[in-house]
Amino acid sequence: MTAVMMDNKSVGVLYCPICTRYVEGQVIRGGKKAVVAPGQKCPRCASSLDAAMVVKFPQAA
């Protein structure tokens, strides 16, 4: 049996804890929750978004 990988990344709105702004970034969806994709930088302050909080992400009904 072969496992099929589905692309579960999408663009969402993140809250940067350093510059306290809402920015766009990659979000990984896993069931009911979403987490920030590792290794991203904030486009405003260039800090790491690993500790950012997901505020909004697209979800189909």
Side-chain angles (χ1 to χ4, degrees), residues 13-58:
V13 178
L14 310 174
Y15 178 75
C16 178
I18 304 301
C19 65
T20 64
R21 304 278 183 173
Y22 296 108
V23 296
E24 287 188 350
Q26 290 288 324
V27 175
I28 299 173
R29 293 176 285 150
K32 291 184 178 181
K33 67 177 188 173
V35 294
V36 178
Q40 295 184 74
K41 298 275 185 184
C42 177
R44 295 183 59 92
C45 66
S47 67
S48 176
L49 285 177
D50 289 340
M53 181 177 72
V54 177
V55 176
K56 183 178 172 183
F57 66 98

